[in-house]
Amino acid sequence: GDMGHIQTLDEFLGMLIRRRLLIAVIILAGMIVSAMVALSRPKIYETGAVIQIESPVITGGDAAVGGQTARLLQAIEQRLTTRENLTAIIDRHGLFADAPGLTMNQKIAALRQSVTFQSVPAAAQTGFGGGASVSALIIMTRFANPDQAARVANDLAQSMLDLSVASQASRARETLEFFIAEENRIRAEMQQVDADLAAYK
């Protein structure tokens, strides 16, 4: 029967071959476009700074100490990611200098997205609440510039260490002041008992 434009088997095969070439060209063009998109994307460098956490060994109080350490790290992380601190980091390292159109709010949002804090839990401990203990903290930074990624990670790590030392010193000072106050209170009570005893005699 008449197959319209397709007169012979040769013509039919020829049409298929032509279409196959067209399909191949379209597929090839698609591959080139996707390759160009991949090449046009900036490379992202990821850097991590690891801080090892050494909790004081207190017999029978490991769970409480572990929980305190986790809370302290969380508080420090919140302080490091405040608007003021992130603005200081952007200024200190000249971040996003290649994007002058960005507002400070956009820069802060971009910096927040490029930094992650990851706690590494300590090995499983016996006793209730042992899982709250943290053995290390990893600060990951992702930037198109590897030098900036390393500098920001190190900056955050150093800031965390400084804040941790300051916090521990403050806590030690508070503890010392508490013991001094307790000592004074007990001494005053003992003096009062001595005075009462002398008066009784």
Side-chain angles (χ1 to χ4, degrees):
D2 185 18
M3 293 182 66
H5 294 294
I6 301 166
Q7 301 295 325
T8 65
L9 186 62
D10 287 344
E11 217 172 297
F12 180 64
L13 290 172
M15 185 189 74
L16 277 183
I17 288 166
R18 282 195 302 277
R19 285 203 177 169
R20 191 176 296 150
L21 284 172
L22 181 65
I23 290 164
V25 168
I26 290 168
I27 290 170
L28 183 61
M31 286 170 65
I32 290 168
V33 168
S34 63
M36 283 171 65
V37 169
L39 288 171
S40 68
R41 269 188 201 156
K43 284 183 180 176
I44 299 296
Y45 296 90
E46 196 169 60
T47 307
V50 181
I51 299 171
Q52 188 173 356
I53 312 298
E54 291 185 7
S55 297
V57 178
I58 300 171
T59 308
D62 291 346
V65 171
Q68 282 179 359
T69 303
R71 282 193 297 276
L72 173 64
L73 290 176
Q74 194 173 20
I76 291 173
E77 182 184 328
Q78 285 170 352
R79 282 188 66 181
L80 289 179
T81 53
T82 59
R83 179 184 171 82
E84 291 75 20
N85 198 59
L86 294 179
T87 302
I89 289 172
I90 289 166
D91 291 341
R92 200 153 49 235
H93 301 290
L95 303 181
F96 312 111
D98 55 346
L102 290 180
T103 65
M104 184 53 79
N105 282 344
Q106 289 171 327
K107 289 177 182 179
I108 288 166
L111 179 54
R112 270 208 183 100
Q113 286 182 345
S114 68
V115 176
T116 53
F117 295 84
Q118 186 179 345
S119 294
V120 179
Q125 299 169 2
T126 55
F128 177 74
S133 187
V134 177
S135 68
L137 185 87
I138 304 170
I139 301 171
M140 298 299 299
T141 56
R142 290 174 300 281
F143 284 93
N145 182 318
D147 182 51
Q148 280 186 346
R151 280 191 284 119
V152 172
N154 287 332
D155 188 324
L156 286 166
Q158 189 58 55
S159 296
M160 177 157 271
L161 289 172
D162 293 344
L163 285 171
S164 178
V165 167
S167 178
Q168 286 171 4
S170 173
R171 190 176 293 169
R173 195 160 48 246
E174 286 171 12
T175 304
L176 180 62
E177 286 168 2
F178 169 77
F179 283 128
I180 290 170
E182 281 295 290
E183 185 187 10
N184 291 337
R185 185 181 65 79
I186 292 167
R187 186 180 289 122
E189 283 182 4
M190 286 173 67
Q191 286 171 351
Q192 186 62 48
V193 167
D194 287 345
D196 290 346
L197 191 59
Y200 177 74
K201 284 180 179 176

